[in-house]
Amino acid sequence: MKKILSILIASVVMLTACQKEHEPKIENITIDVVLKQNHQYTYTINHNDDEYSSPYISQDTQHDAITALTPNDKNTASVFSYTPANDYVGPDQVIITLSEEKEEHGCGIKPGRTPRPHHHHHDDDESVKNYIFNFTIVQ
């Protein structure tokens, strides 16, 4: 009975540690943009490829706008471009996300899989940056 109780306690401790490890720090950066209809908007997102993954559009436009993310040659920055749908007037939103590259510490690593290398981080929490672009398209 003591052996089963010890295994159960150890399992709970490991499960709690794994759940705690996967809770990212989230930083939301809100950018409000007033844009004339049929005009283009661009924004440069700087990122260091040693710390962050390449940015990606985690929530795309809801009004058929044309959106693109183009990384520079060194993958240290990406240019976000947004062009609203032809003659559209009204609100729109796009969210671009960067997540921190992290070493995996055993939770969720499949047998035989090599963990990603550690990238100079001193804290155990993953960081996520969300660039929230709130567009107001006007005539």
Side-chain angles (χ1 to χ4, degrees):
M1 184 69 172
K2 286 182 181 182
K3 188 175 183 178
I4 292 173
L5 187 58
S6 296
I7 292 171
L8 182 60
I9 290 172
S11 297
V12 169
V13 168
M14 285 180 58
L15 181 60
T16 303
C18 285
Q19 288 175 345
K20 193 174 191 179
E21 180 179 341
H22 295 292
E23 295 176 14
K25 291 182 202 174
I26 298 174
E27 177 184 1
N28 291 325
I29 300 165
T30 302
I31 301 163
D32 295 321
V33 179
V34 176
L35 184 66
K36 287 188 176 185
Q37 70 183 118
N38 304 320
H39 283 75
Q40 183 181 45
Y41 172 81
T42 60
Y43 184 89
T44 300
I45 297 173
N46 293 309
H47 53 89
N48 181 335
D49 65 343
D50 286 338
E51 294 181 19
Y52 287 98
S53 63
S54 295
Y56 62 94
I57 297 173
S58 56
Q59 178 184 308
D60 208 351
T61 176
Q62 298 177 13
H63 297 284
D64 297 322
I66 299 169
T67 57
L69 266 174
T70 308
N72 67 3
D73 292 339
K74 296 179 183 177
N75 199 31
T76 57
S78 294
V79 175
F80 165 62
S81 63
Y82 171 93
T83 305
N86 195 31
D87 296 328
Y88 174 74
V89 173
D92 205 354
Q93 185 180 67
V94 176
I95 300 175
I96 297 175
T97 300
L98 288 101
S99 59
E100 190 174 45
E101 294 285 354
K102 293 251 324 129
E103 175 182 9
E104 296 179 31
H105 297 284
C107 295
I109 296 177
K110 296 180 181 175
R113 182 169 172 229
T114 304
R116 294 182 300 204
H118 190 66
H119 289 289
H120 313 295
H121 296 292
H122 301 290
D123 60 332
D124 290 330
D125 295 328
E126 179 182 7
S127 293
V128 173
K129 276 187 187 179
N130 291 315
Y131 288 83
I132 303 168
F133 292 89
N134 294 316
F135 291 97
T136 303
I137 313 303
V138 297
Q139 290 184 339

